[in-house]
Amino acid sequence: MSQAERLEHLYRSHGSDNHLDLMTAKWSKRKHDIIKEYLKALKFEYAVTNEEAGCLAKLRCCKNREDLVSLKTDLFKHREVSAGIEFIRTAIHHIILFWKNNKNVLNNLEDWWRIFLYGPVFDSAFSSAQEYNIIRSESESQAYKAYCILFKDVLPPGEKQKMDKVDMIVRTADHQFDIFSAEDKPLSATRKSVQDMIAKNQARRVITLDVIEKQLPRPELISYFENFTAIWHGNLMRLHCTRKINGRFYHYEAASTHVPLSPENYEGIARLLLIVLSLKV
């Protein structure tokens, strides 16, 4: 079966109303291996340069904080580096600072996390690209604005445009389109508030794909597009994605990782930076 046929098969058994949430669907143990094979088509594609890959390999090999500090020192010896290496060495520096300032993580709210973690290890990856603008702190999503303009003929008369406030947006330099968006929740956030934010992100991804499809020369080309959103919950980052194939929306978790609260799990740090650099492409 083709990728589209496999996903359609999954939809018929677990989806409804043209949506299949692969993160919440319940799979039987008997079908687990088959489902796993089906979902390979939705695998997140990592994309970094050879130089960045080599640097991340050194990060994975760190055994303790001293190794990480040594790596940071070596990276900062170079005056001129690529944007990717600049991001990696700056992120490492701020993660070391984060370990020095995280004694009260359970009580710190979003602003603290943005200053000490999200800004340095996430937002800054996009700041070097001239084609992007980073919009921060309760920014209004462009997706619903564009949807109301493009679909005004099918919207109920008198319906007000939905306002969608987002914590972080990567927007094109001409301010016409939102490439990517992210929401922040502190470590103390309840499970319900995190799930509500995941649902909000999912709705935005659907609207964004509808807007893209409306502007394509052929609607079936939308199957080649994917839209990502991220949610930070304290030191945990989850990357979610939606694709629209044959009129069905498929929602899945593309990647997840975390920044350790103490000097350990350097593999996880390298994975986070790999994911962020891949999103930038």
Side-chain angles (χ1 to χ4, degrees), residues 177-190:
F177 189 76
D178 295 343
I179 303 295
F180 175 79
S181 59
E183 298 280 12
D184 311 328
K185 284 293 181 182
L187 204 56
S188 58
T190 63

Side-chain angles (χ1 to χ4, degrees), residues 117 232-237 256-261 264-265 267-272 275:
L117 195 63
W232 280 98
H233 181 198
N235 60 320
L236 171 67
M237 194 276 285
S256 66
T257 188
H258 72 283
V259 176
L261 296 177
E264 59 182 7
N265 189 18
E267 171 70 32
I269 298 172
R271 177 173 168 76
L272 170 66
I275 291 169

Side-chain angles (χ1 to χ4, degrees), residues 3-59:
Q3 173 196 358
E5 290 171 335
R6 288 179 171 186
L7 291 173
E8 178 66 21
H9 177 71
L10 291 180
Y11 171 79
R12 288 175 182 173
S13 58
H14 293 85
S16 63
D17 299 324
N18 289 327
H19 287 263
L20 172 57
D21 190 336
L22 296 162
M23 296 175 283
T24 59
K26 304 296 182 182
W27 315 113
S28 67
K29 292 183 178 179
R30 182 173 60 86
K31 293 185 177 180
H32 185 268
D33 290 340
I34 298 175
I35 300 299
K36 190 175 181 180
E37 184 66 27
Y38 280 14
L39 298 184
K40 282 183 178 180
L42 302 177
K43 186 178 179 181
F44 180 63
E45 296 292 335
Y46 297 105
V48 291
T49 66
N50 289 335
E51 182 185 30
E52 292 162 356
C55 188
L56 293 175
K58 292 178 182 178
L59 175 52

Side-chain angles (χ1 to χ4, degrees), residues 34 39-40 54 67 72-73 79 81-82 87 126 130 142 166 189-190 206 211 213 226 229 245-246 250:
I34 298 175
L39 298 184
K40 282 183 178 180
D67 288 348
K72 183 198 80 167
T73 302
R79 295 186 63 181
V81 295
S82 66
F87 165 67
F126 304 93
Q130 294 184 351
Q142 293 285 68
V166 188
T190 63
V206 169
V211 168
E213 183 181 29
E226 52 194 3
T229 60
I245 301 173
N246 293 337
Y250 298 93

Side-chain angles (χ1 to χ4, degrees), residues 94-112:
H94 281 277
I95 287 171
I96 293 171
L97 291 179
F98 168 73
W99 288 334
K100 294 180 178 179
N101 292 281
N102 66 359
K103 297 179 179 64
N104 201 26
V105 289
L106 286 175
N107 295 319
N108 288 318
L109 300 180
E110 285 99 331
D111 283 347
W112 183 91

Side-chain angles (χ1 to χ4, degrees), residues 9 31 47 79 89 129 144 164 175-176 194 210 238 251:
H9 177 71
K31 293 185 177 180
R79 295 186 63 181
R89 69 183 186 179
Y144 285 93
D164 183 28
H175 290 274
Q176 295 300 307
V194 173
D210 278 341
R238 298 170 66 186
H251 314 285

Side-chain angles (χ1 to χ4, degrees), residues 56-72 99 260 262-270:
L56 293 175
K58 292 178 182 178
L59 175 52
R60 290 189 188 92
C61 291
C62 290
K63 303 297 183 184
N64 48 50
R65 184 181 178 279
E66 288 68 31
D67 288 348
L68 190 64
V69 171
S70 295
L71 175 59
K72 183 198 80 167
W99 288 334
S262 58
E264 59 182 7
N265 189 18
Y266 302 98
E267 171 70 32
I269 298 172

